[in-house]
Amino acid sequence: MPHAPVRPGPASAKAPVRLLRLLLVGAGGRGSVYASHAASTGRAQVVAVAEPDRRRADEARQVHPDAAFFDDWRELAETAPEADAVIIATLDPDHVEPAARFAELGYHILLEKPMATNEGGTRAIAAAVERANVMLSVCHVLRYTPYTAGVKEIVDSGRLGDIVSIEHLEPVGWWHQAHSYVRGNWRREDLAVPMLLAKSCHDLDWISYIIDRPVRQVSSFGSLMHFRPENRPVAAADNCLDCPVEPDCPYSAKRLYLGCLGDPGLERWPLGAVTDARTPEGVEQALREGPYGRCVYACDNDVVDHQVVNLEYEGGATASFTMTAFTPLAQRKTRIFGTRGYLDGDGVRVTVTDFVTGQEETLVLGLEGPDAGSGHGGGDERLVDAFLDALTTGDPTHILSDPATSLESHMVAWAAERSRRSGTVQTLVR
């Protein structure tokens, strides 16, 4: 008879805090980050892991040596270990089934974004957690950063007056686009999701969080403009290692991945997605034999490399969002236009202009330094901390987006995709 998950109750001021027990479904990059941070706090332990990839499972064993390991999440669900919650960080198409099943079993859920690869799956997850009366935290990590907390405080204080419009940019980065969305796992919609869902659903969520009103109408434009066969240089080879024009190509796999060697951060990512090798010979072998050495103009990619989304909110405020590959890899940039003031931010600093005094004030709100972006500006850690707080107290308000809010942000992204494909303005139906 499987053990029923333990329900967290209100924490007592005098009673010792019980160590929370977590399950991990998917021990890849995102799942490992969340689970490792949870364990590092001393407030939680991972008691079971489901991961079919042998290398990733072995890496997870090093971090969670006392956990039970399963090759498939269904085996884990069948066993139903005694635990408080499950972290689900499988590949995008594999979210719906485990989320619905673990909700049915009574586990609270930390779910990597996007929730699902289609609207039906997204709605199914929201319905499943509502039926089971369990807490769901979707990994909209941008809500949890110190930078976001500071911007939200300024907006909510009324310092900018009423928000009239927002302009928000996600600079994907030229080599990041080539790595993840031309050569990598998110290059094709049938293997993952549209680019807007894969990369930017939490940007759309972030804008709505700042404006704090529901979206009314959506329009969008975008396409795969550059990474196409017709833009391939005449002399280009199928693989960068054989290519005579490689030295002059911005998207050279040879330059990118060999350039990661010797930098621990870059060796973890992006090189870690390519190979475990840490020698020039090993990296070149991986580029020769795997997908990451391919010419960016000779891949099977179909996701967009640039897209704009226009949003109208209840009450009339508007926002424009731009996602583009053709930038350095950098923090998001945002301008907020209010009736009493203006805010210009870059993910770390904001400059606020007061329309009454004409004075400008620059504030450092976000994390600085070379590693500031590695955890989404502190959002990864604070997301997990908030989830642990919710589990400890039984209070879901520690989670900054409830299931209905997360569902809406995904519906906005799907509406934008319908608009992009049809050339129509989409009205959100609730």
Side-chain angles (χ1 to χ4, degrees):
M1 189 84 176
H3 295 288
V6 175
R7 295 279 185 254
S12 166
K14 295 182 180 179
V17 177
R18 177 176 58 80
L19 193 66
L20 296 166
R21 287 160 292 191
L22 305 177
L23 312 179
L24 174 60
V25 175
R30 303 307 300 151
S32 295
V33 166
Y34 300 140
S36 296
H37 178 71
S40 74
T41 66
R43 302 169 59 191
Q45 65 178 126
V46 175
V47 297
V49 177
E51 173 53 62
D53 183 272
R54 184 66 58 190
R55 177 179 64 85
R56 288 175 175 171
D58 288 343
E59 290 174 352
R61 278 192 181 88
Q62 300 300 313
V63 183
H64 312 290
D66 297 325
F69 277 77
F70 299 83
D71 292 333
D72 190 277
W73 68 264
R74 294 168 186 84
E75 298 173 10
L76 174 57
E78 183 68 25
T79 305
E82 192 171 289
D84 301 283
V86 57
I87 300 169
I88 299 177
T90 53
L91 293 175
D92 296 345
D94 302 324
H95 285 180
V96 178
E97 281 192 77
R101 180 57 179 148
F102 283 104
E104 183 182 33
L105 291 170
Y107 297 96
H108 303 295
I109 299 172
L110 181 71
L111 178 64
E112 176 61 339
K113 62 88 188 167
M115 292 172 68
T117 58
N118 55 61
E119 293 183 61
T122 306
R123 292 186 185 278
I125 291 174
V129 298
E130 183 177 356
R131 282 194 306 271
N133 193 30
V134 298
M135 291 184 285
L136 171 69
S137 178
V138 177
C139 297
H140 292 302
V141 293
L142 296 185
R143 284 186 178 235
Y144 293 87
T145 68
Y147 175 80
T148 298
V151 171
K152 183 69 170 167
E153 183 178 352
I154 291 169
V155 170
D156 289 351
S157 73
R159 186 173 176 182
L160 304 181
D162 295 329
I163 302 306
V164 177
S165 58
I166 289 180
E167 180 184 281
H168 186 68
L169 167 69
E170 178 167 17
V172 176
W174 81 96
W175 62 263
H176 184 195
Q177 181 82 20
H179 170 73
S180 294
Y181 306 103
V182 178
R183 297 178 174 119
N185 290 338
W186 293 272
R187 67 189 183 275
R188 278 171 39 192
E189 291 187 16
D190 65 331
L191 298 177
V193 288
M195 179 76 175
L196 193 63
L197 267 294
K199 189 72 179 77
S200 305
C201 68
H202 54 184
D203 288 280
L204 299 177
D205 174 80
W206 188 89
I207 299 169
S208 291
Y209 180 55
I210 298 300
I211 290 184
D212 199 22
R213 289 178 180 269
V215 174
R216 185 164 62 189
Q217 294 191 103
V218 181
S219 67
S220 183
F221 305 91
S223 65
L224 175 58
M225 183 175 174
H226 182 68
F227 299 101
R228 303 168 61 92
E230 56 265 37
N231 292 320
R232 179 175 174 167
V234 174
D238 288 343
N239 189 287
C240 288
L241 297 179
D242 305 320
C243 186
V245 299
E246 173 271 325
D248 192 46
C249 180
Y251 310 103
S252 163
K254 182 177 178 180
R255 181 187 311 117
L256 170 58
Y257 298 115
L258 289 175
C260 294
L261 292 174
D263 184 316
L266 294 177
E267 287 184 347
R268 285 193 301 272
W269 184 87
L271 185 59
V274 179
T275 179
D276 293 332
R278 296 296 180 262
T279 65
E281 296 77 16
V283 171
E284 289 195 3
Q285 181 180 352
L287 296 182
R288 178 79 63 193
E289 298 175 354
Y292 288 94
R294 293 181 295 174
C295 174
V296 293
Y297 306 105
C299 292
D300 58 341
N301 57 302
D302 62 13
V303 300
V304 302
D305 54 23
H306 70 296
Q307 187 166 355
V308 295
V309 180
N310 302 306
L311 305 161
E312 183 184 46
Y313 290 82
E314 296 289 347
T318 59
S320 64
F321 168 66
T322 298
M323 181 280 301
T324 180
F326 306 104
T327 67
L329 180 63
Q331 298 270 12
R332 278 100 169 156
K333 304 188 188 308
T334 307
R335 295 170 176 170
I336 302 177
F337 308 90
T339 56
R340 296 184 61 86
Y342 162 77
L343 182 148
D344 192 341
D346 65 3
V348 176
R349 292 175 176 77
V350 299
T351 298
V352 178
T353 303
D354 187 303
F355 293 168
V356 175
T357 66
Q359 297 298 308
E360 292 185 355
E361 181 183 13
T362 298
L363 304 167
V364 177
L365 303 178
L367 303 181
E368 296 186 283
D371 295 326
S374 61
H376 290 99
D380 291 355
E381 295 84 358
R382 286 163 177 80
L383 164 80
V384 174
D385 291 340
F387 187 60
L388 298 182
D389 289 341
L391 295 178
T392 299
T393 63
D395 181 2
T397 62
H398 290 285
I399 300 168
L400 297 182
S401 59
D402 58 24
T405 302
S406 293
L407 174 62
E408 169 151 330
S409 69
H410 284 68
M411 291 303 105
V412 170
W414 288 116
E417 276 301 289
R418 290 195 300 272
S419 172
R420 183 180 71 84
R421 295 172 187 278
S422 66
T424 60
V425 176
Q426 296 287 309
T427 299
L428 269 290
V429 178
R430 295 175 175 83

